[in-house]
Amino acid sequence: MAFEAYDEYEQSEKLRQWLRENGLSIAVGIVLGLLLIFGWQQWRSHRAQHRAEAAARYDALQMAADAQQTEQADTLTDQLMKDYADTPYAAFAAGERAARLIDKGQFDQARTALAWAEAHAGDAALKSLFTLRLARVDLAQGKADAALARLGTLPAGTYVALAQELRGDALVKLGRGSDAHAAYAAALAALPEDAPQRSLLQVKLDDTTPAGGSK
Amino acid sequence: MLTKLREMFSGWVSKVVFGLLVFVFSFFGIESYFVARTDTFVAKVNGHEVSQQDFRTAMDNFRQRALQQSGGKLDGSYFEKPEVKRQVLDALIDRQLVLQAGDKLGAAVSDAQVRDAIAAIPAFQIDGKFDDGTYRAVLASQGMSPLTFQERVRSDLQAEVLPQAIGASALATDADVDAYLRLRGQTRDIRYALLPAPAVGDGAVSDDEIAAYYKAHPSDFMNPETVALQYLELNAADLKVDATVDDESLRKRYEEEKQRFVLPEQRLVSHILVKVPANATPAQQKAALEKAQKLDAEAKAPGADFAKLAEQYSDDLGSKRQGGDLGWISKGETDPAFESALFALQKGQISAPVLSSEGYHVIWLRDVRSGQAKPFEEVKDDLAKQMLDSERERKFSEVAGKLTDLIYQDPSSLEPAAKALGLTIQTTPPFTRSGGAGIAANPKVVEAAFSNGVLVEGNTSDPVELGPNHIVVVHVAKHTPATPKPLAEVRDVIRQRVLTERAEAAAKQRADALYAKLRQDGDLAAVAAEAGVQVQTAAGVGRDAQQPDAALVEAVFRMPYPAGGKPGTALVPLAHGAFALVALDAVHAGDPAKVAPAERAMLRQQLARLYGTEAAREFIAALRSGAKIDVAEDRMQ
């Protein structure tokens, strides 16, 4: 009740003095706080807009690719890789570029695009996906050993079915039939029961039956 | 008075009030720290809760879809199975994982994408176009605001972003296609020796053996479960209709529906078309008109042959060969401009050129078949029958409705319904799950009879439709569970089976011994000679070959390759205890170069799609293994 002991004039004087001493820091605090809130919101809306732009460009890229407008697709891909590398769309666009290049037999350029996607994947599971695709290109270029080595770098338990099938393909190429057989068996075990590629994988498995029969 | 108030509040009253407030505010809500919070989530994915409400909605959607796909054949209890519930929950968890990964990585859905997706939903469209009024009305009828719905669509789209992008960027190489084609076109050269099926001897089978077999295979010797039904049948054709059909009411109806008995006027037409392209220049249009006018003049000239002109000059590929003949046409079948010109012509006249959306037509009206009303006398019987039929149908749906109501009121017996509606309770003889005679020949009736509600709970079935306006409701009269057949009855069958098994076991033993030799020496000729059978050869056997034997071919493609100068070998069991000893001499890979580029491109796309789908699945599996997921199975309601 100390404050009430003063009369009104003294009270107001006290208040003024207090304000003189602390007014600046209060004002700075309020401004800072407002800036922080405002800035946070700005940043969030900027980020959302940035992502939406990337999504829209990626959409346009899909349409261009479906319509076989390669030039436009390439322009959009470049744009995504340059300005939107912090979104997953850039990596996917690079991956699609690689698929187009592979259709034309340009493996080395496809490899570059996939390596870029691998480096910018932003997530371990996505990164492994592009590693897997690089291994597929290795094998397509006849580098079965390189493909095997690359598949070996995948974290255990990721993309088991796809990776083991590819491993089997590489091992067949190297003439290691019974190792391939084991790899195909592992791939088949990892595939869901209703996966349509089971029959193809079964054929690969049967084709590598070792002399002692399948285990 | 204010002073007084002020004094009072500066005194003890204010202190008490203030103290109370402090107490209330500091302890309000504190119980939540002491009382254990009751969790309500069904699953928790990295801290995000999947609520029971979400789960129920997902379950409802799944149920609807599954019922639709199975044509309503799935039993309600299917959706109560824990593994089915778990499957639905797993889909929800996967969705949450993908949403979180998308958010972390920076996937987004633009407003335009949401708008397009909503506009593409048929339920919101009128004549194939999005309609805002319909949109709001449909949402309102489901108690949803446009904003809620937009967010739902957005999150649906968002959950698709990553899987779709993974699929779209999937790749397959020529090497993959070649590997596939080499396998697909592979052929194999084999030699084989057939060990024929053993003859079933007439040896002695002891009673003990028979008894043991009977005991070991109880399900083979059962009288199947049967059910006999009581049923009420309601058929519109049997209903008595007491409506009187007098001439007066018939005549009245005839007047009302007169146009039904009038044949529309038809006109027999030929035409010559001078085509005008859709985006024709004025010059082109003019040239076409001039050409049409010239043809028109030629056709109108005395002695002209319209058909020949059409054949020569018409641009209408469909009618050109027939001399421009379009056949009989009635109103409302052709272009409006064409039609009005056609119906203005007199029989035998040729029109001036008429412009339709296709171009200029020169039209020749060859004949007219005028519309005539059938007289009352001619249609009287038909009308009477129709009136009776519709009256009968009305009565049928009335009685059927009553019947359904009565069954719902008392599903335990058919008596009340039979009494109230004057129907007789009929019965069927007992029949099995594969059906019987009479109404039991109808699969829908059999299904209803053996359904949970009817057979186990003893209720009357829902109405089963036997045909149009023909239903039955069934009730179990007698249910006989499956019973074992007495041993004496099946004794001979068992004896035969034991003999067969004996013979086949002996044959297998012999085949195994021969195969062991074959495997060791790789010499099929010697083994076949020992068995006293011929060696046969088949070269270039393909995967889908039906010769020499489909089962044999399938086994041949599972054999190991020949190696170290020895053929690959296998023992292949065939039907009835027959065996084939097989030696694989050579494997020829298919030739990828023989496949056309178009097919290769298609195969590569197919492979890429398969790899893409699998990659998306395994991507989610990878997310799942790195996530913290709690599932509360007990709350999966």
Side-chain angles (χ1 to χ4, degrees), chain B residues 529-550:
Chain B
E530 184 189 327
V533 292
Q534 293 282 319
V535 172
Q536 306 176 53
T537 57
V541 178
R543 271 181 199 285
D544 301 326
Q546 299 297 314
Q547 297 297 329
D549 176 298

Side-chain angles (χ1 to χ4, degrees), chain B residues 59-78:
Chain B
M59 218 41 224
D60 286 345
N61 290 341
F62 173 76
R63 186 177 295 125
Q64 235 169 36
R65 229 176 17 246
L67 284 175
Q68 215 164 44
Q69 276 169 9
S70 69
K73 276 211 182 109
L74 275 177
D75 202 342
S77 64
Y78 173 78

Side-chain angles (χ1 to χ4, degrees), chain A residues 51 55 58-59 62 86-89 92 96 102-103 121-123 125-126 129 133 136 140 159-162 165 190-192 196-197 200 203-204 206-207 209-211, chain B residues 103-108 110 113 161-162 165-166 168-173 175-176 180 183 186 188 543 557-561 604 607 610-611 614-615 617-619 622:
Chain A
R51 288 174 169 190
Y58 178 77
D59 246 21
Q62 298 300 310
D86 54 342
T87 69
Y89 298 108
F92 285 124
E96 285 174 42
I102 281 168
D103 283 357
D123 172 271
L126 216 50
L129 178 68
R133 289 178 181 171
R136 194 175 291 286
Y159 300 98
V160 179
L162 288 172
E165 181 179 354
L191 265 188
Q197 62 260 56
L200 171 56
V203 166
K204 287 183 174 178
D206 292 343
D207 199 62
T209 306
Chain B
D103 196 47
K104 185 188 134 211
L105 288 169
S110 67
Q113 284 171 305
V161 171
L162 291 179
I166 289 174
S169 62
L171 51 89
T173 65
D176 297 324
Y180 169 69
L183 286 172
Q186 191 183 81
R188 297 190 165 194
R543 271 181 199 285
F557 277 87
R558 277 201 303 271
M559 289 174 66
Y561 281 35
R604 203 170 52 205
L607 280 177
L610 289 178
Y611 292 147
E614 175 59 15
R617 190 191 71 80
E618 295 198 64
F619 172 71

Side-chain angles (χ1 to χ4, degrees), chain B residues 315-322 325:
Chain B
D315 291 333
D316 179 11
L317 298 176
S319 71
K320 189 176 173 161
R321 294 256 185 84
Q322 287 81 45
D325 185 11

Side-chain angles (χ1 to χ4, degrees), chain B residues 273-289 291 315 355-361:
Chain B
L273 174 67
V274 179
K275 214 170 190 152
V276 180
N279 46 358
T281 60
Q284 277 176 313
Q285 186 140 10
K286 195 158 168 250
L289 176 60
K291 186 176 169 199
D315 291 333
L355 182 63
S356 80
S357 56
E358 283 181 86
Y360 286 101
H361 303 262

